[in-house]
Amino acid sequence: MTLEHTIIDCWNRIGIRGDHSCARLQQHIHCRNCSVYGEAAQLNLQRAVGDGYQRDWAEHFRQPPASDAKHDSSSLVFRIGDEWLALPTSMFVLVAPQAMPHKLPHRSARGLAGIVNVGGKLVPCIALADLLGVSSEQSTPRSGRHTFARLLLVQWEQQSYALPVADLHGIVRYASASVRAPAATINKGLQRYLTGVIEQDGMMIGCLDAGLLGHQFARSLR
């Protein structure tokens, strides 16, 4: 007699899945509380497994993990005009409401919009649209409850900078191996600052070079 034949599956006949005629059901309420059900579970776990079962699972665990599962990078995605762009999440300090920057006298560095108050602190404000050479206007205006301008506070070499953005998508995780080369049609000003392009939720997102941008941020204050 095989081990499977010794399992009494009374729960399927007179128990909770059967006609409820079991005398123990009134005491235990549910079959899982009964010792017969527990003993059957133990027998089921102790049953012998065939060679085919072991071979199939061994083959399953020998397979290398899918390459698209290696999400080893993360960035915060935002919009400037029509362009969806991203910077590494490690650069960001906080997201703040939009505020009007105040011009700095005798300062005309490209991209430097002035200083802005963020949480009671004055922070240099960098207009990425000017620095990257892209339009800050969107050709097809977006609308929605979560579509509004914000300030992104980033930090580079112990110095904070505020970046006004038109919209915020959020954090995306992706495999660094999936980053594509920027298209040749991208304008040269923006292309200079891109390390590549990723696709997320149907959007083409330009990954900005954090080191190059950080250098330009610092240079604007000299």
Side-chain angles (χ1 to χ4, degrees):
M1 181 180 293
T2 62
L3 183 61
E4 285 77 10
H5 290 160
T6 66
I7 296 178
I8 304 173
D9 63 337
C10 53
W11 56 89
N12 287 322
R13 293 179 287 104
I14 59 175
I16 198 71
R17 293 186 178 179
D19 61 8
H20 294 231
S21 63
C22 178
R24 299 188 180 193
L25 197 57
Q26 186 174 1
Q27 174 188 358
H28 296 298
I29 309 299
H30 197 285
C31 295
R32 61 171 172 258
N33 301 319
C34 179
S35 59
V36 176
Y37 190 88
E39 290 168 5
Q42 288 294 327
L43 287 172
N44 188 48
L45 292 173
Q46 293 167 11
R47 74 190 189 281
V49 295
D51 294 337
Y53 179 89
Q54 293 176 321
R55 184 173 58 252
D56 290 345
W57 278 107
E59 180 64 25
H60 171 78
F61 286 112
R62 272 199 298 268
Q63 298 299 319
S67 59
D68 59 358
K70 297 177 181 176
H71 290 176
D72 55 2
S73 301
S74 68
S75 294
L76 188 69
V77 178
F78 51 89
R79 182 172 56 81
I80 304 290
D82 287 325
E83 303 291 344
W84 285 105
L85 304 168
L87 278 168
T89 53
S90 58
M91 287 187 68
F92 290 90
V93 179
L94 59 84
V95 178
Q98 186 183 29
M100 184 65 67
H102 298 276
K103 291 287 186 180
L104 288 170
H106 315 298
R107 294 279 186 168
S108 57
R110 183 178 179 181
L112 181 62
I115 56 172
V116 66
N117 188 322
V118 180
K121 295 182 179 180
L122 295 178
V123 180
C125 183
I126 305 294
L128 282 180
D130 294 340
L131 190 61
L132 303 176
V134 298
S135 173
S136 59
E137 301 297 325
Q138 190 178 25
S139 55
T140 305
R142 288 168 54 91
S143 60
R145 187 162 58 93
H146 299 293
T147 303
F148 54 90
R150 302 166 174 87
L151 283 179
L152 304 181
L153 194 67
V154 301
Q155 192 167 52
W156 182 258
E157 294 182 344
Q158 287 75 54
Q159 173 63 56
S160 296
Y161 302 89
L163 311 178
V165 300
D167 198 0
L168 183 62
H169 177 70
I171 294 175
V172 299
R173 302 184 185 280
Y174 57 95
S176 55
S178 68
V179 179
R180 310 175 191 174
T185 54
I186 296 176
N187 78 69
K188 299 301 180 183
L190 175 58
Q191 193 175 64
R192 176 192 172 198
Y193 289 96
L194 292 182
T195 58
V197 175
I198 57 174
E199 185 174 0
Q200 185 83 11
D201 298 332
M203 299 186 303
M204 300 305 293
I205 303 166
C207 297
L208 294 169
D209 187 325
L212 184 55
L213 270 182
H215 172 74
Q216 292 299 323
F217 293 168
R219 186 177 179 182
S220 69
L221 300 181
R222 293 172 186 163

